[in-house]
Amino acid sequence: PTLDRMHNALKVSESQLYQSYILVKYLLREHPPKKFKKKDIDEILDSLPPKMHDVTKKQAASAIKKITMFYHPDRNSKIHHSEEWFVFCTEVTKLLTEKISFFKGF
């Protein structure tokens, strides 16, 4: 039973890792941060391996921490951007913060 629980926990961990990889790539490609330069975004994308199954916990966690800064609502105020973008950034930051919390316990 213990081995089964460990195996299931590992599957969940791997799934979270792959989901994080996909999320980072999707956000940066489909909804690039408005305030940052393309080279900053390319640097994060280049730091990730081309294949999802090659990503490490460290790479995924690092990318998530960096893009959390890009989308943080304090850096995307309603004054400089639309209300829609501000709400989007707020929700993205919540989701990314959950991912960071997961990796701390992983």
Side-chain angles (χ1 to χ4, degrees):
T2 303
L3 189 56
D4 288 338
R5 275 186 272 133
M6 290 173 66
H7 182 67
N8 289 337
L10 181 60
K11 282 184 182 179
V12 168
S13 298
E14 288 175 351
S15 174
Q16 284 287 336
L17 184 62
Y18 301 146
Q19 288 174 17
S20 298
Y21 174 89
I22 292 167
L23 177 64
V24 167
K25 288 209 167 206
Y26 172 78
L27 284 172
L28 292 176
R29 286 186 180 146
E30 300 298 322
H31 303 283
K34 300 191 183 295
K35 197 174 179 179
F36 292 86
K37 297 176 183 161
K38 185 174 180 340
K39 74 175 186 87
D40 295 328
I41 295 167
D42 290 343
E43 184 180 302
I44 293 172
L45 289 171
D46 290 345
S47 73
L48 295 171
K51 293 184 180 176
M52 176 174 61
H53 295 288
D54 295 336
V55 71
T56 66
K57 173 194 165 202
K58 185 177 180 180
Q59 289 170 319
S62 175
I64 290 170
K65 286 178 186 175
K66 286 178 185 175
I67 71 166
T68 300
M69 175 185 68
F70 289 168
Y71 292 99
H72 197 281
D74 290 348
R75 293 179 177 242
N76 293 280
S77 70
K78 293 180 214 176
I79 296 168
H80 297 102
H81 304 289
S82 69
E83 176 80 19
E84 184 179 307
W85 180 253
F86 179 78
V87 171
F88 175 79
C89 289
T90 301
E91 294 304 313
V92 165
T93 300
K94 288 178 190 176
L95 178 62
L96 294 172
T97 301
E98 285 179 23
K99 296 286 183 190
I100 291 169
S101 296
F102 174 80
F103 283 116
K104 285 182 180 177
F106 176 10

